[in-house]
Amino acid sequence: MQDRFFIFILSLIFSVGSVKAESFIFPSSRTDALGGTVVLSTPTPSEQLLSGTPLEQTEKLSVDFGYTRQYDLKELDIIYSAVSYRMQNFSLAAGFSQTGEPDLYTQKNMRLAVLYSKSFYTIGNFITGEFHDFNKRYNSVNKISYGLSVQVRHKDFIFSSVLENLNRPSLTENSPKANRILTFYGELPGLKKYKTTLTFSTQADDENKYGIGESVKISQVGTLMFGFSTTPVEFGGGMKLKWKDNSVIYNASYHPVLGLTHTISFLLMILHN
């Protein structure tokens, strides 16, 4: 059974065809529920790492962390944590995630973002480390990639673009180089209680990915979320419950073949400007 699991993991890592058009995958508190989109007006630290969005003007230090069960397979469980700090025009964000069981196989991702905001725009720089460990059964492999982002804010919309894998890294000398991936995120604030979020991702020689999400504030403490994405086709939904400056968020996504993915996460607002 373990040998089959390793064969599956190795095929997933090194097969070009298994990786669809998508942005850097870092687990976050709401993206599964919102079709892979991001709430750009009020991002969590993990969502900053995806979209290059700064913290709100009133926020200074924020932390979120969570747990994901993918497709009801404990071997693919994910734990993650992210932190963001805003100092005048700069936002610094860092995150760590781990997938798998240490006795079998683990994938660790580390991501660092430096964002500079001025007037209506934000420019971001990213460094991402991806590390695969097979508990001494196979040699460990890893890669380091670089990315850039640009965001524009307007009273009627927020638009962010992220370009990943500028250096086109590879896990080994013989494995394919990673394609550059361009992802667009958008938000239409709409009415006060409604937010529509969008995403589009593309890379060479692969299918484009689309996503749309909707957030509906139903009370002072509760927000409903739902969304849809393609490549692969998935449906999502969830709820955010807020207490003072802190929140607990549950979301889930459904893959027609692989089944459900669940995420429970916590958001803590520690300091304000």
PDB file of all heavy atoms in Angstrom, residues 106-118:
ATOM      1  N   THR A 106       6.257  13.989   2.962  1.00  0.00           N
ATOM      2  CA  THR A 106       5.782  15.337   3.279  1.00  0.00           C
ATOM      3  C   THR A 106       6.217  16.315   2.188  1.00  0.00           C
ATOM      4  O   THR A 106       7.293  16.178   1.599  1.00  0.00           O
ATOM      5  CB  THR A 106       6.331  15.849   4.630  1.00  0.00           C
ATOM      6  OG1 THR A 106       7.756  15.811   4.613  1.00  0.00           O
ATOM      7  CG2 THR A 106       5.787  15.048   5.792  1.00  0.00           C
ATOM      8  N   GLN A 107       5.345  17.262   1.935  1.00  0.00           N
ATOM      9  CA  GLN A 107       5.685  18.405   1.096  1.00  0.00           C
ATOM     10  C   GLN A 107       5.538  19.652   1.948  1.00  0.00           C
ATOM     11  O   GLN A 107       4.483  19.890   2.536  1.00  0.00           O
ATOM     12  CB  GLN A 107       4.768  18.524  -0.111  1.00  0.00           C
ATOM     13  CG  GLN A 107       5.049  19.777  -0.947  1.00  0.00           C
ATOM     14  CD  GLN A 107       4.104  19.931  -2.119  1.00  0.00           C
ATOM     15  OE1 GLN A 107       3.566  18.950  -2.618  1.00  0.00           O
ATOM     16  NE2 GLN A 107       3.893  21.162  -2.555  1.00  0.00           N
ATOM     17  N   LYS A 108       6.596  20.437   2.019  1.00  0.00           N
ATOM     18  CA  LYS A 108       6.580  21.682   2.780  1.00  0.00           C
ATOM     19  C   LYS A 108       6.716  22.850   1.809  1.00  0.00           C
ATOM     20  O   LYS A 108       7.569  22.833   0.924  1.00  0.00           O
ATOM     21  CB  LYS A 108       7.715  21.716   3.805  1.00  0.00           C
ATOM     22  CG  LYS A 108       7.652  20.612   4.844  1.00  0.00           C
ATOM     23  CD  LYS A 108       8.822  20.716   5.818  1.00  0.00           C
ATOM     24  CE  LYS A 108       8.749  19.636   6.886  1.00  0.00           C
ATOM     25  NZ  LYS A 108       8.989  18.287   6.326  1.00  0.00           N
ATOM     26  N   ASN A 109       5.884  23.851   1.990  1.00  0.00           N
ATOM     27  CA  ASN A 109       5.959  25.085   1.215  1.00  0.00           C
ATOM     28  C   ASN A 109       6.210  26.251   2.153  1.00  0.00           C
ATOM     29  O   ASN A 109       5.569  26.356   3.205  1.00  0.00           O
ATOM     30  CB  ASN A 109       4.656  25.343   0.450  1.00  0.00           C
ATOM     31  CG  ASN A 109       4.471  24.397  -0.714  1.00  0.00           C
ATOM     32  OD1 ASN A 109       5.435  23.885  -1.266  1.00  0.00           O
ATOM     33  ND2 ASN A 109       3.235  24.149  -1.086  1.00  0.00           N
ATOM     34  N   MET A 110       7.137  27.114   1.771  1.00  0.00           N
ATOM     35  CA  MET A 110       7.391  28.343   2.511  1.00  0.00           C
ATOM     36  C   MET A 110       7.335  29.509   1.540  1.00  0.00           C
ATOM     37  O   MET A 110       7.860  29.418   0.431  1.00  0.00           O
ATOM     38  CB  MET A 110       8.744  28.284   3.229  1.00  0.00           C
ATOM     39  CG  MET A 110       8.727  27.367   4.439  1.00  0.00           C
ATOM     40  SD  MET A 110      10.293  27.310   5.327  1.00  0.00           S
ATOM     41  CE  MET A 110      11.085  25.963   4.452  1.00  0.00           C
ATOM     42  N   ARG A 111       6.691  30.577   1.974  1.00  0.00           N
ATOM     43  CA  ARG A 111       6.445  31.709   1.074  1.00  0.00           C
ATOM     44  C   ARG A 111       6.669  33.008   1.830  1.00  0.00           C
ATOM     45  O   ARG A 111       6.195  33.182   2.956  1.00  0.00           O
ATOM     46  CB  ARG A 111       5.004  31.637   0.592  1.00  0.00           C
ATOM     47  CG  ARG A 111       4.517  32.809  -0.249  1.00  0.00           C
ATOM     48  CD  ARG A 111       4.595  32.523  -1.704  1.00  0.00           C
ATOM     49  NE  ARG A 111       3.617  33.268  -2.492  1.00  0.00           N
ATOM     50  CZ  ARG A 111       3.617  33.342  -3.808  1.00  0.00           C
ATOM     51  NH1 ARG A 111       4.549  32.711  -4.497  1.00  0.00           N
ATOM     52  NH2 ARG A 111       2.704  34.025  -4.460  1.00  0.00           N
ATOM     53  N   LEU A 112       7.402  33.925   1.211  1.00  0.00           N
ATOM     54  CA  LEU A 112       7.677  35.237   1.784  1.00  0.00           C
ATOM     55  C   LEU A 112       7.265  36.298   0.773  1.00  0.00           C
ATOM     56  O   LEU A 112       7.590  36.204  -0.404  1.00  0.00           O
ATOM     57  CB  LEU A 112       9.161  35.386   2.123  1.00  0.00           C
ATOM     58  CG  LEU A 112       9.610  36.759   2.637  1.00  0.00           C
ATOM     59  CD1 LEU A 112       8.984  37.062   3.993  1.00  0.00           C
ATOM     60  CD2 LEU A 112      11.130  36.831   2.728  1.00  0.00           C
ATOM     61  N   ALA A 113       6.538  37.319   1.250  1.00  0.00           N
ATOM     62  CA  ALA A 113       6.091  38.403   0.372  1.00  0.00           C
ATOM     63  C   ALA A 113       6.465  39.747   0.972  1.00  0.00           C
ATOM     64  O   ALA A 113       6.327  39.954   2.184  1.00  0.00           O
ATOM     65  CB  ALA A 113       4.579  38.338   0.163  1.00  0.00           C
ATOM     66  N   VAL A 114       6.938  40.646   0.128  1.00  0.00           N
ATOM     67  CA  VAL A 114       7.194  42.038   0.504  1.00  0.00           C
ATOM     68  C   VAL A 114       6.355  42.915  -0.420  1.00  0.00           C
ATOM     69  O   VAL A 114       6.531  42.870  -1.643  1.00  0.00           O
ATOM     70  CB  VAL A 114       8.689  42.398   0.385  1.00  0.00           C
ATOM     71  CG1 VAL A 114       8.906  43.860   0.780  1.00  0.00           C
ATOM     72  CG2 VAL A 114       9.537  41.474   1.251  1.00  0.00           C
ATOM     73  N   LEU A 115       5.440  43.693   0.164  1.00  0.00           N
ATOM     74  CA  LEU A 115       4.510  44.500  -0.623  1.00  0.00           C
ATOM     75  C   LEU A 115       4.707  45.978  -0.315  1.00  0.00           C
ATOM     76  O   LEU A 115       4.877  46.354   0.845  1.00  0.00           O
ATOM     77  CB  LEU A 115       3.066  44.111  -0.296  1.00  0.00           C
ATOM     78  CG  LEU A 115       2.734  42.616  -0.335  1.00  0.00           C
ATOM     79  CD1 LEU A 115       1.309  42.386   0.133  1.00  0.00           C
ATOM     80  CD2 LEU A 115       2.941  42.049  -1.735  1.00  0.00           C
ATOM     81  N   TYR A 116       4.680  46.788  -1.354  1.00  0.00           N
ATOM     82  CA  TYR A 116       4.800  48.234  -1.194  1.00  0.00           C
ATOM     83  C   TYR A 116       3.556  48.891  -1.784  1.00  0.00           C
ATOM     84  O   TYR A 116       3.218  48.670  -2.955  1.00  0.00           O
ATOM     85  CB  TYR A 116       6.045  48.765  -1.906  1.00  0.00           C
ATOM     86  CG  TYR A 116       6.146  50.280  -1.873  1.00  0.00           C
ATOM     87  CD1 TYR A 116       6.556  50.936  -0.721  1.00  0.00           C
ATOM     88  CD2 TYR A 116       5.798  51.039  -2.996  1.00  0.00           C
ATOM     89  CE1 TYR A 116       6.642  52.325  -0.688  1.00  0.00           C
ATOM     90  CE2 TYR A 116       5.886  52.421  -2.969  1.00  0.00           C
ATOM     91  CZ  TYR A 116       6.309  53.058  -1.813  1.00  0.00           C
ATOM     92  OH  TYR A 116       6.362  54.432  -1.774  1.00  0.00           O
ATOM     93  N   SER A 117       2.873  49.699  -0.971  1.00  0.00           N
ATOM     94  CA  SER A 117       1.641  50.363  -1.394  1.00  0.00           C
ATOM     95  C   SER A 117       1.830  51.868  -1.446  1.00  0.00           C
ATOM     96  O   SER A 117       2.453  52.459  -0.553  1.00  0.00           O
ATOM     97  CB  SER A 117       0.498  50.032  -0.428  1.00  0.00           C
ATOM     98  OG  SER A 117       0.276  48.646  -0.355  1.00  0.00           O
ATOM     99  N   LYS A 118       1.294  52.473  -2.475  1.00  0.00           N
ATOM    100  CA  LYS A 118       1.350  53.921  -2.644  1.00  0.00           C
ATOM    101  C   LYS A 118       0.113  54.361  -3.398  1.00  0.00           C
ATOM    102  O   LYS A 118      -0.161  53.859  -4.490  1.00  0.00           O
ATOM    103  CB  LYS A 118       2.606  54.320  -3.425  1.00  0.00           C
ATOM    104  CG  LYS A 118       2.813  55.829  -3.542  1.00  0.00           C
ATOM    105  CD  LYS A 118       3.214  56.466  -2.213  1.00  0.00           C
ATOM    106  CE  LYS A 118       3.580  57.930  -2.388  1.00  0.00           C
ATOM    107  NZ  LYS A 118       3.965  58.572  -1.118  1.00  0.00           N
TER     108      LYS A 118
END
